Amino acid sequence: MDAKRPKTGPRSQPVQAQAQDTSASAVLEPLPLDFEFVPSREHQAQMTFVKGLVARIANPKLTSSILPKVQSLNPLESLKHLRRVRKDRESNALEIVLCTLPKECDFDAAQATFLSLLTACGLDKTALTHAYVHDLPAFPPLTRAQYDAAAALWPTAYHENKALTARLALKDISQAAARYFRMAMLRAVELASSAPSGCQCAVVVGCPDSQQILVTALDARRNHPLHHAVLVAIEKIGDWRKQQRQKAAETAPAGGEASDAAQLQNGDEYLLTGLDVFSSHEPCPMCAMALVHSRTGRLFYGVEIPNGGISTQLRIHSEPMLN
C-alpha cells in the first residue's frame, strides 16, 4: 500500500505543531496540497557508517595477489555493497579495506590490528602502507540520497529502484491525477471541518479510474469505540461493492455466465483493491491494519497524529510480512 501525505515544508515544524490536537479543528488551514510519499523506515533512514581499517597498496601491480589474501582472512560479509579497493582521489594510489573496527578503537589498537593482519596474510610490511581508520557505509543504499552519502566516503554498489525514485519525487503523478487527489483530499477536510463535535476524522474513498468519489465516512466513536472513520468507510465500500454485484447479476443474460462482479467470493466486497483512500488525519494502527488487510492501493492523509500507524509511530503500510 502506498501512502502519501500533504507537506508544508520541513516535516518537523508545521506538521508536529498540529499533531498534538487530533480533533477536526486540527486540520491545517489552508490545507497544503503538495504531496510527499511516505516510504518505509529503511528507505527514509539516514546512511550510517562503521569504522574500517584502510591501507595503501604500495605496488598496484600486486593488487591481484594481495586482494584474495585479505578477502580470505576478512570477507566482510556485512559490507558486500562496498568495493574492496578504490583509487584515492588526492594521492591517486590504490587503497584497500582490510577489516572493520570497533567504535572505541584508538590509533594504537588500529596499528596493532594492521600489523597482525599483515602477518596473518603473509604479507611483507612494505606491501601495505599508510594504514588509517576510515568511515565506511554500514548498509546497502536503497535510495539516491543514501547512495550519495555513502559514495562520498567510499565506492558503493547501488541498483536504483526507478519506480521508487519516481514515487519519492512524485514524478509518476499526472496533472489529471493531481487534480483528482486535491479534489478528494479537500472533500475529506471539508467533511472533518464541518463534522459534529467529537468527530476526529473524515474519510473519502475514490476510484482512480473514474476519478470519482464513491463513499464518504465520518468518525462515529460516539456510538461505538470501534467505529473509526476508516472502518466506517470500509463497511460502506462493502455495501457499495455488494450493490455492484447485485446489479451485475440482474443484468447478466439469462442462462449466460455471470460477470466477474457477480462472481465475487464471500468477503471480497470489503476489499479496497484498486481504490484510493483520503483521510483528513493519519490512520491509527488499527485503521492502518484494516487498510492493509483491505488491500488498499493508495492512502492519502493530512494531519499526523501522535499514535499514528503510517508515519508517526509505525510504518504498517511498509511491513514486508503484511504486504
Side-chain angles (χ1 to χ4, degrees):
M1 177 178 72
D2 285 352
K4 298 179 177 69
R5 64 172 303 281
K7 64 178 180 180
T8 59
R11 294 170 60 88
S12 62
Q13 296 179 0
V15 172
Q16 292 300 327
Q18 297 287 344
Q20 304 306 314
D21 181 5
T22 60
S23 64
S25 62
V27 177
L28 299 176
E29 295 184 4
L31 179 73
L33 288 177
D34 291 328
F35 292 94
E36 64 176 314
F37 182 72
V38 181
S40 66
R41 293 193 186 279
E42 291 77 11
H43 287 86
Q44 198 173 36
Q46 298 290 322
M47 176 56 66
T48 57
F49 303 92
V50 296
K51 284 186 176 183
L53 182 61
V54 176
R56 182 179 298 179
I57 300 176
N59 186 352
K61 293 182 179 180
L62 298 179
T63 302
S64 59
S65 61
I66 293 175
L67 182 58
K69 295 179 181 179
V70 174
Q71 287 180 327
S72 177
L73 183 65
N74 287 308
L76 299 184
E77 294 294 341
S78 63
L79 298 178
K80 291 293 187 181
H81 52 285
L82 300 183
R83 294 184 182 179
R84 199 67 187 253
V85 177
R86 76 166 183 180
K87 177 177 286 189
D88 182 61
R89 296 176 182 176
E90 296 181 0
S91 65
N92 212 32
L94 292 183
E95 296 182 332
I96 184 171
V97 178
L98 299 176
C99 64
T100 57
L101 298 171
K103 290 183 179 181
E104 62 277 6
C105 182
D106 57 19
F107 177 79
D108 292 337
Q111 287 298 314
T113 300
F114 172 61
L115 294 176
S116 65
L117 279 171
L118 287 176
T119 303
C121 292
L123 297 173
D124 186 83
K125 291 183 179 181
T126 60
L128 297 174
T129 62
H130 298 81
Y132 66 97
V133 178
H134 189 67
D135 286 337
L136 302 172
F139 60 87
L142 300 175
T143 66
R144 173 62 61 174
Q146 292 173 351
Y147 169 72
D148 290 341
L153 290 181
W154 196 268
T156 306
Y158 173 57
H159 303 287
E160 183 177 19
N161 184 332
K162 294 185 177 180
L164 177 65
T165 301
R167 289 179 179 179
L168 290 172
L170 299 184
K171 291 181 179 179
D172 58 344
I173 298 179
S174 65
Q175 289 297 319
R179 287 193 295 270
Y180 154 63
F181 296 161
R182 288 181 172 89
M183 178 270 294
M185 196 70 214
L186 284 171
R187 179 62 177 146
V189 172
E190 291 170 356
L191 288 170
S193 300
S194 60
S197 176
C199 290
Q200 298 182 345
C201 182
V203 169
V204 166
V205 179
C207 175
D209 295 330
S210 65
Q211 297 189 351
Q212 298 294 317
I213 292 176
L214 301 179
V215 302
T216 62
L218 288 174
D219 187 290
R221 275 176 276 181
R222 297 169 299 169
N223 304 324
H224 193 286
L226 295 181
H227 287 177
H228 293 216
V230 167
L231 301 185
V232 175
I234 293 175
E235 184 176 3
K236 285 188 174 183
I237 281 294
D239 294 337
W240 176 82
R241 288 198 180 276
K242 189 176 298 183
Q243 293 173 3
Q244 297 300 307
R245 181 178 63 180
Q246 292 173 349
K247 289 180 181 179
E250 292 171 358
T251 57
E257 292 186 3
S259 66
D260 292 340
Q263 293 179 358
L264 288 174
Q265 298 297 316
N266 183 35
D268 283 355
E269 63 268 20
Y270 296 99
L271 299 182
L272 289 167
T273 303
L275 301 180
D276 296 327
V277 173
F278 301 84
S279 176
S280 61
H281 292 68
E282 179 186 4
C284 69
M286 179 182 70
C287 290
M289 281 295 297
L291 290 172
V292 170
H293 285 306
S294 297
R295 300 297 185 267
T296 306
R298 292 180 298 194
L299 165 69
F300 301 78
Y301 65 93
V303 179
E304 290 179 321
I305 62 175
N307 62 335
I310 299 297
S311 63
T312 308
Q313 292 292 332
L314 305 171
R315 296 291 172 100
I316 290 177
H317 68 293
S318 63
E319 286 294 331
M321 296 296 292
L322 300 177
N323 289 282

